[in-house]
Amino acid sequence: MSETTGQQGPVGAGPAIVLVEPQLGENIGMVARAMANFGLADLRLVNPRDGWPNEKARAAASRADHVVDAVRLFATLEEATADLNFVMATTARARDSFKPVRGPEAAAVDLRRRAAEGQGTGILFGRERWGLTNEEVGLADEIVTFPVDPKFASLNIAQAVLLMSYAFQAAGREGDQSPRFEAKVPEPATKEDLFRLFHHLEASLERAGYFFPEPKREVMTQNIRTMLTKANLSEPEVHTLRGVIKAFDYEAAQLRKKLGDAS
């Protein structure tokens, strides 16, 4: 018999995340946090070692309380997946099985399609130390594995759930991989502001004796103007540069005054 400790999520909203005999409450909490990051909420536990509820899990969930509060507890994997139509098993090892094997991206696309059709779907994750047994993998419809370095293929549960949760969300964006927000880009400076910067800088360099020898003045000036034009400076950036030049001019004037007083 299963013990329910929360409400079942809406069918089709996303795959159920099924943890088989998880050992540490902290890992369960980090799984809940990873799910919440990408909009998943149906977390099912099969015979967790330290029981449930678990305060260490809630602390590690970092305010993903809606996932923790909706956790459902089951005695067997069969009970945990009984209401689902399609289940994938995660594993890093090749199995003696003829089940289809997918990467996370392809798996997520298929899960999205099935969810849109109203199917209940789930993803199985095994124990921290040795994953899923062959018998448990045998209960799944397909296998999903991650393209990790074969020399170090071990992922902890939260990492694996995070990868699948992200892949599921990305699969629903129809190729749009733009970030959640973008930096605000100021308008480019007007040419009038840019010309004032040219004149200000060139006057300062003239006082500092930069344009030497004289025959190279035109080339040196053009190089400076080309560099500043290519930078596509914004109005605030132009004003900042002029403030920097003004500060240098002030210090140079103070130095000249001190030298003049000393002489």
Tab-separated table of all heavy atoms in Angstrom, residues 108-129:
chain	number	residue	atom	x	y	z
A	108	ALA	N	13.653	14.422	-23.330
A	108	ALA	CA	12.779	15.523	-22.921
A	108	ALA	C	11.778	15.873	-24.005
A	108	ALA	O	10.613	16.166	-23.714
A	108	ALA	CB	13.617	16.746	-22.555
A	109	VAL	N	12.215	15.848	-25.254
A	109	VAL	CA	11.285	16.128	-26.363
A	109	VAL	C	10.158	15.099	-26.377
A	109	VAL	O	8.981	15.445	-26.552
A	109	VAL	CB	12.038	16.144	-27.706
A	109	VAL	CG1	11.052	16.165	-28.878
A	109	VAL	CG2	12.975	17.338	-27.786
A	110	ASP	N	10.506	13.830	-26.200
A	110	ASP	CA	9.485	12.779	-26.197
A	110	ASP	C	8.555	12.924	-24.996
A	110	ASP	O	7.335	12.749	-25.113
A	110	ASP	CB	10.151	11.406	-26.180
A	110	ASP	CG	9.152	10.277	-26.377
A	110	ASP	OD1	8.374	10.329	-27.357
A	110	ASP	OD2	9.131	9.348	-25.550
A	111	LEU	N	9.112	13.268	-23.834
A	111	LEU	CA	8.274	13.467	-22.653
A	111	LEU	C	7.319	14.639	-22.856
A	111	LEU	O	6.153	14.584	-22.446
A	111	LEU	CB	9.147	13.712	-21.418
A	111	LEU	CG	9.932	12.508	-20.894
A	111	LEU	CD1	10.939	12.943	-19.840
A	111	LEU	CD2	8.984	11.451	-20.327
A	112	ARG	N	7.796	15.704	-23.500
A	112	ARG	CA	6.929	16.850	-23.812
A	112	ARG	C	5.776	16.426	-24.708
A	112	ARG	O	4.629	16.821	-24.492
A	112	ARG	CB	7.745	17.942	-24.498
A	112	ARG	CG	8.505	18.838	-23.570
A	112	ARG	CD	7.595	19.896	-22.978
A	112	ARG	NE	8.324	20.755	-22.062
A	112	ARG	CZ	7.741	21.699	-21.333
A	112	ARG	NH1	6.442	21.916	-21.432
A	112	ARG	NH2	8.447	22.453	-20.522
A	113	ARG	N	6.088	15.651	-25.728
A	113	ARG	CA	5.046	15.203	-26.657
A	113	ARG	C	3.999	14.380	-25.927
A	113	ARG	O	2.788	14.583	-26.103
A	113	ARG	CB	5.680	14.366	-27.780
A	113	ARG	CG	4.668	13.795	-28.766
A	113	ARG	CD	5.330	12.900	-29.784
A	113	ARG	NE	5.945	11.739	-29.190
A	113	ARG	CZ	5.268	10.645	-28.824
A	113	ARG	NH1	3.945	10.599	-28.988
A	113	ARG	NH2	5.901	9.618	-28.295
A	114	ARG	N	4.453	13.466	-25.099
A	114	ARG	CA	3.513	12.607	-24.369
A	114	ARG	C	2.685	13.418	-23.368
A	114	ARG	O	1.488	13.159	-23.196
A	114	ARG	CB	4.282	11.492	-23.657
A	114	ARG	CG	4.924	10.509	-24.620
A	114	ARG	CD	5.754	9.452	-23.894
A	114	ARG	NE	6.405	8.559	-24.835
A	114	ARG	CZ	5.827	7.493	-25.401
A	114	ARG	NH1	4.574	7.194	-25.088
A	114	ARG	NH2	6.493	6.741	-26.244
A	115	ALA	N	3.333	14.391	-22.720
A	115	ALA	CA	2.589	15.235	-21.776
A	115	ALA	C	1.500	16.006	-22.499
A	115	ALA	O	0.389	16.171	-21.983
A	115	ALA	CB	3.555	16.186	-21.069
A	116	ALA	N	1.823	16.523	-23.707
A	116	ALA	CA	0.832	17.270	-24.479
A	116	ALA	C	-0.345	16.392	-24.869
A	116	ALA	O	-1.472	16.874	-25.053
A	116	ALA	CB	1.488	17.859	-25.729
A	117	GLU	N	-0.102	15.093	-24.985
A	117	GLU	CA	-1.173	14.152	-25.320
A	117	GLU	C	-1.960	13.723	-24.085
A	117	GLU	O	-2.921	12.951	-24.194
A	117	GLU	CB	-0.582	12.922	-26.002
A	117	GLU	CG	0.041	13.216	-27.364
A	117	GLU	CD	0.790	12.023	-27.935
A	117	GLU	OE1	0.910	10.993	-27.215
A	117	GLU	OE2	1.249	12.107	-29.083
A	118	GLY	N	-1.551	14.206	-22.912
A	118	GLY	CA	-2.252	13.874	-21.680
A	118	GLY	C	-1.746	12.644	-20.974
A	118	GLY	O	-2.370	12.176	-20.011
A	119	GLN	N	-0.623	12.100	-21.424
A	119	GLN	CA	-0.074	10.925	-20.770
A	119	GLN	C	0.626	11.308	-19.471
A	119	GLN	O	1.255	12.364	-19.373
A	119	GLN	CB	0.934	10.225	-21.682
A	119	GLN	CG	0.364	9.648	-22.961
A	119	GLN	CD	1.414	8.886	-23.749
A	119	GLN	OE1	2.290	8.241	-23.173
A	119	GLN	NE2	1.334	8.949	-25.069
A	120	GLY	N	0.522	10.446	-18.494
A	120	GLY	CA	1.291	10.609	-17.274
A	120	GLY	C	2.673	10.011	-17.473
A	120	GLY	O	2.805	8.850	-17.890
A	121	THR	N	3.714	10.774	-17.220
A	121	THR	CA	5.075	10.309	-17.452
A	121	THR	C	5.901	10.406	-16.178
A	121	THR	O	5.568	11.156	-15.256
A	121	THR	CB	5.761	11.132	-18.566
A	121	THR	OG1	5.855	12.494	-18.141
A	121	THR	CG2	4.966	11.060	-19.864
A	122	GLY	N	6.984	9.656	-16.143
A	122	GLY	CA	7.855	9.691	-14.978
A	122	GLY	C	9.286	9.362	-15.348
A	122	GLY	O	9.559	8.751	-16.385
A	123	ILE	N	10.208	9.768	-14.484
A	123	ILE	CA	11.630	9.478	-14.663
A	123	ILE	C	12.133	8.859	-13.360
A	123	ILE	O	11.943	9.427	-12.284
A	123	ILE	CB	12.446	10.745	-14.980
A	123	ILE	CG1	11.803	11.534	-16.125
A	123	ILE	CG2	13.884	10.376	-15.341
A	123	ILE	CD1	12.456	12.887	-16.377
A	124	LEU	N	12.779	7.706	-13.473
A	124	LEU	CA	13.271	6.988	-12.309
A	124	LEU	C	14.728	7.336	-12.031
A	124	LEU	O	15.553	7.372	-12.953
A	124	LEU	CB	13.164	5.474	-12.520
A	124	LEU	CG	11.824	4.911	-13.007
A	124	LEU	CD1	11.914	3.387	-13.081
A	124	LEU	CD2	10.694	5.354	-12.100
A	125	PHE	N	15.034	7.558	-10.757
A	125	PHE	CA	16.409	7.815	-10.328
A	125	PHE	C	16.729	6.856	-9.187
A	125	PHE	O	15.927	6.674	-8.262
A	125	PHE	CB	16.570	9.254	-9.855
A	125	PHE	CG	16.337	10.270	-10.945
A	125	PHE	CD1	15.041	10.708	-11.220
A	125	PHE	CD2	17.377	10.771	-11.689
A	125	PHE	CE1	14.810	11.639	-12.226
A	125	PHE	CE2	17.156	11.708	-12.694
A	125	PHE	CZ	15.868	12.130	-12.968
A	126	GLY	N	17.914	6.257	-9.240
A	126	GLY	CA	18.248	5.223	-8.270
A	126	GLY	C	18.950	5.730	-7.036
A	126	GLY	O	19.070	6.929	-6.792
A	127	ARG	N	19.445	4.784	-6.285
A	127	ARG	CA	20.098	5.068	-5.011
A	127	ARG	C	21.407	5.823	-5.216
A	127	ARG	O	22.063	5.688	-6.250
A	127	ARG	CB	20.373	3.745	-4.286
A	127	ARG	CG	19.110	2.937	-4.055
A	127	ARG	CD	19.425	1.445	-3.963
A	127	ARG	NE	18.186	0.660	-3.973
A	127	ARG	CZ	17.534	0.319	-5.089
A	127	ARG	NH1	17.974	0.695	-6.280
A	127	ARG	NH2	16.430	-0.399	-5.010
A	128	GLU	N	21.801	6.555	-4.190
A	128	GLU	CA	23.029	7.345	-4.294
A	128	GLU	C	24.246	6.476	-4.588
A	128	GLU	O	25.130	6.878	-5.340
A	128	GLU	CB	23.284	8.126	-2.991
A	128	GLU	CG	22.358	9.294	-2.753
A	128	GLU	CD	21.115	8.917	-1.946
A	128	GLU	OE1	20.672	7.743	-2.045
A	128	GLU	OE2	20.605	9.775	-1.223
A	129	ARG	N	24.299	5.277	-4.017
A	129	ARG	CA	25.521	4.484	-4.090
A	129	ARG	C	25.594	3.577	-5.318
A	129	ARG	O	26.678	3.353	-5.856
A	129	ARG	CB	25.689	3.633	-2.823
A	129	ARG	CG	25.884	4.467	-1.569
A	129	ARG	CD	26.163	3.604	-0.355
A	129	ARG	NE	27.432	2.900	-0.461
A	129	ARG	CZ	27.896	2.050	0.455
A	129	ARG	NH1	27.173	1.801	1.548
A	129	ARG	NH2	29.062	1.447	0.292
